[in-house]
Structures are given as structure tokens and as C-alpha cells.
Amino acid sequence: MNNQDFRKHAHELVDWIADYMENVREYPVRSQVKPGDIAAQIADIPPVAGESFESIFSDFQNVIMPGITHWQHPRFFAYFPANSTPESQLAEMLISALGVNGMLWETSPAATELEEKTMKWLGQMVGIPNNWSGVIQDTASSATFCAILAAREKATNFHTNKSGLYQQAPLKFYVTREAHSSIEKAMKMAGLGSEHIHFVATTDDHSMDTKALEQAIQKDRSKGFVPAGIIACIGATGMGAIDPLEQIGNVAREEGLYLHVDAAWAGSALILEEYQHLMKGIEHADSFVFNPHKWMGIQFDCSAHFVRDKETLIRTLTIMPEYLKSNQGVTDYRDWGIQLGRRMRALKVWFVLRGQGTEQIQQRIRQHIQWAEKLAETINNTEGFELITQPRFALFTFRALSNSGDDDNTESNELNDALIKAVNDDGFTYLTRTVINGQSVIRWSIGHTNCTWEDVESSWEKVKEKASKLQ
Ligand SMILES: *Cc1c(COP(=O)(O)O)cnc(C)c1O
């Protein structure tokens, strides 16, 4: 394709994208295709001769689009959001055009220095101490993996990096049952073994019981294990559980354990003054991660990973072959994560924060939280429904009650699973489920940039309509 054709098609695509953003409500939120539907329409062998852009783009519209689940749909209430904003999309266009690989400072000084600055901005916004450092990872899973590796090296005096774990007593990591599955994955990848995750008991609100944490650590020590790290969660995935950071921080400090804080989703809400108290004790933590790509309008992928002592992280991950030797005294972000090559993600952070200001982002997130509280109250007052967990930030869980009135979970679990399926097969709105105390419940998570109260209300009407046919 020559540049003249590129210009023409790029303009067409921008128009298509703007139309998409305007009309995204017309699509079913969750893709309605069946497994294999899309693959059946794609050739089994690559074309030998190049094809026209018109024919590729026409297939994009006809073949690919039906297989898209619309994360940018304002009625996407499933999982957690991965929202976007126009500013972020514009930045992604430039990132894509420059095609920078920011592995070293000198492979694009602006990529590195902008990343350092924008991470300082994000850190100030969520309440990270000023002397911490930050790096943008692809996902929270990567940040947590790096944290567990750093904790492993700290606990073994950096011997594991060199000699492996062959003579090492098992290292123990402490989390609650609410902790994200990325921690188990990280334990497997780090060679530590998933069975060495110690699940600590929780209090009534599903947050970590710090007394139980202390006892667990003592018990493991007495058995000859090596307690190495704690992962505390602010806003866990199931129903938004919040671990008491200050108390856990004290235990971590007293016991000499590495403390990583996973606030992947709820971290964006920490920019609201009314939630800043949850960060009390952060100075006792070693690292913290949140995903601006979930709720801040800085689109996927963008995960903000902060560390108190960057040397521990760098010493854990640095590799220095001759062909990568570089300038002294500058930041080479290839030493801060799993990847060598890295995208210039800081540009979209900069565009969104400058274009919207913290004020606009705060307003939007605060609005989502208010709507979640309002809807949860409505559901609580609606006959035939039961609120299971109160809103934490903008997430709550509820279930429909079966008409028979008995308390057998089997029946109400079947009802709620059928309800979720009916709602998602309809396509008007999109919700997902979880299990709490053996009960199948529906999660409702608000977070799309363009969501309105009307989207929330009409989706609730849809849920009631579907439920009435099943109850
Ligand atoms: C979403 C989420 C993760 C994983 O996020 P990725 O960026 O997809 O790896 C981890 N922890 C919590 C609490 C989350 O909500």
C-alpha cells in the first residue's frame, strides 16, 4: 500500500471509528456467535497474492465484527470495565504510527522520561509516597508476577536468581480466598508452587483477618517454611473485598515480609478523597499495582506498577548482554519487567490526564459509584430479589429468589444461572456471575466512560423482565 492509499483508508477508518463510538449501543453487548462460527469464515491458507483493502475491510465488518464483544458499550456491566476515552484512542494512533520499542532510554528518551513523569502523576493521584518509582506493565498479572519474583529474591538473598530453588525450604505467600487468580499463576511461574499459597482466614466482610495472618506466619515458621510475602487486595474481583492495609503493613514490617498491594480495578477510585483512607499504611508496602486500563479511560493495556525500592526489582530482573549495554545514569525500563521490548504506553496516560484533568475523571468515577449505590438500594427493595453484597466502589452482587420460597441453593442457583444466560443471550446488557458462600450470584459492575443512569435503569428493567419469565 502506498502512502496515498494509506491516507485515504486511514481517513475512512477514522470515520468508521467515530460512527462506531456514536452507535455502539446498537450492537449486542456480548457477541452472540457460537464457538467456531468465526473461524469457519476465515480461509485455511494465507493468500499468495495481496488483496485490496476494500475486500479486507469488508470482511472485517461482516466476519469479524459479529464476533466482537463490545467492551466500549455503555451497558457493559460484566467482569470489570476496560474502558476507553477519545483522548486515549488518539494517543494509541500515534503510538501505533511511531511503533517505538522503549526497551532502553536511548531507544526513545521521550518514551522513558514521559513514563517516569506520568507514573509520578498517577502515583500522586492514588496516594503513592513521593519517593516510590513507577513503571507501566501490560497487565496487573505481570506486575504481580514481578512482585512475587522480587519477594522471592529478597527472601533468598538473591541466591535463587543464580542457583535456583534446589536447596531452599518452601517460601510461603499469604492471601485470602478473594485474591486474584493471577497470584496462583505467578506462584507457578516463579517455581514456588501453588500449594505454598497460604489462604488466610477472613472477617465477616471477606477482608483479611490480621490476627489469623500473624498466626499463619508463626505456624509456617515453626514447620520450617520461609514466610516470604503477603498480597493484600483493595477491591478484589469477586465482590470487591478490601484488606486492611495499615494492619497488614504492620505485620509485614514486623515479620520482614514483602508486601504487594493488588488494587487492579479499585485503584482508579483511590483518586477520590473519600477513599484515600484505604491507602493508610501504604508506606509499609513494597509494591502496588492498579490498572488505569480498567476504570480511568486509559485503554487496554496500561497497568501502573509502583515500587518502594526500585533496586530490588531491577536486581531481580536485570540482564546485561553486550549488545544491550547502554548509557549509565538513565532508566532502562527493560530491567523493570518481563518484556525486553515495550510499547510507548505513557503517551496515552499523558493524553488522557491532560485532556480530562483529574477533575473530570474523578467526577465520572464518583458518578458510577453513586449509580451502583442507587441501583443496589432499588434491588434490595424489589420483591423477588436479594442483595448479596453491598456496593464496594461500583460493584455489588445480588440474586433472584426462586418462587418456591425454600432456601435450597440448588434451585436458586439454577434460577440465577438461567437468568444470567437469558440476559446475556438477549444482548441488551451484559452481566457476569460469581459464587459467594455456595450461592450463585450476579455481579453488577459499573464503569464504562459513556454509561448513563438511563443505561443502568433500562438494564435493570431487562433483568426484571427476564427474571419474571423464569421465577
Ligand atoms: C483485573 C484484576 C487482575 C488482573 O488484571 P490483568 O491486568 O488482566 O492481569 C488482578 N487483580 C485484580 C483485583 C483484578 O481486578
Side-chain angles (χ1 to χ4, degrees), residues 80 139-142 180 182 233 235-237 262 264-265 291 293-294 303:
F80 282 134
T139 59
S141 299
S142 295
H180 193 262
S182 55
C233 199
T237 317
D262 176 5
W265 160 65
N291 286 346
H293 73 228
K294 273 184 168 151
S303 185

Side-chain angles (χ1 to χ4, degrees), residues 18 26 40 94 167 217 238 309 366 369 376 408 429 435 462 468:
E26 287 164 20
L94 297 177
Q167 305 293 326
I217 293 171
D309 166 30
R366 196 173 269 134
I369 292 170
D408 183 358
T429 188
V435 173
K462 181 64 77 178
S468 69

Side-chain angles (χ1 to χ4, degrees), residues 28 30-42 63-69 421 424-425:
R30 194 210 59 199
S31 168
Q32 302 290 311
V33 302
K34 288 190 286 304
D37 281 359
I38 305 297
Q41 301 175 74
I42 299 171
V63 176
I64 302 301
M65 282 304 280
I68 294 297
T69 289
K421 185 172 183 312
N424 295 341
D425 284 352

Side-chain angles (χ1 to χ4, degrees), residues 116 131-134 146 149-151 153-154 158 161 258 286 306-318 320 328-332 335-336:
E116 292 180 298
N131 56 352
W132 286 36
S133 314
C146 292
L149 292 173
E153 289 315 299
K154 216 175 162 190
F158 294 87
N161 259 346
Y258 187 104
D286 294 277
F306 299 93
V307 291
R308 176 154 55 93
D309 166 30
K310 65 180 182 190
E311 295 312 323
T312 304
L313 180 66
I314 293 171
R315 208 175 146 196
T316 300
L317 298 172
T318 192
M320 200 60 84
Q328 297 296 306
V330 294
T331 296
D332 288 330
D335 293 330
W336 295 57

Side-chain angles (χ1 to χ4, degrees), residues 278-323:
L278 298 174
M279 287 294 270
K280 259 183 103 180
I282 186 66
E283 64 279 7
H284 296 316
D286 294 277
S287 51
F288 175 98
V289 64
F290 90 100
N291 286 346
H293 73 228
K294 273 184 168 151
W295 201 4
M296 209 176 249
I298 301 166
Q299 74 205 68
F300 191 79
D301 53 351
C302 180
S303 185
H305 177 197
F306 299 93
V307 291
R308 176 154 55 93
D309 166 30
K310 65 180 182 190
E311 295 312 323
T312 304
L313 180 66
I314 293 171
R315 208 175 146 196
T316 300
L317 298 172
T318 192
I319 291 291
M320 200 60 84
E322 282 304 322
Y323 54 83

Side-chain angles (χ1 to χ4, degrees), residues 384-386 388 397-402 408-424 431-434 439-443 463 467 470-471:
F385 289 90
E386 179 184 30
I388 302 293
T397 61
F398 70 103
R399 65 172 185 164
L401 297 169
S402 65
D408 183 358
N409 277 344
T410 322
E411 197 171 319
S412 71
N413 286 357
E414 275 169 15
L415 167 66
N416 283 280
D417 291 348
L419 176 55
I420 276 275
K421 185 172 183 312
V423 168
N424 295 341
L431 298 163
T432 42
R433 68 187 278 282
T434 189
Q439 293 177 341
S440 195
V441 304
I442 303 177
R443 293 168 77 259
V463 171
L470 296 165
Q471 272 167 326

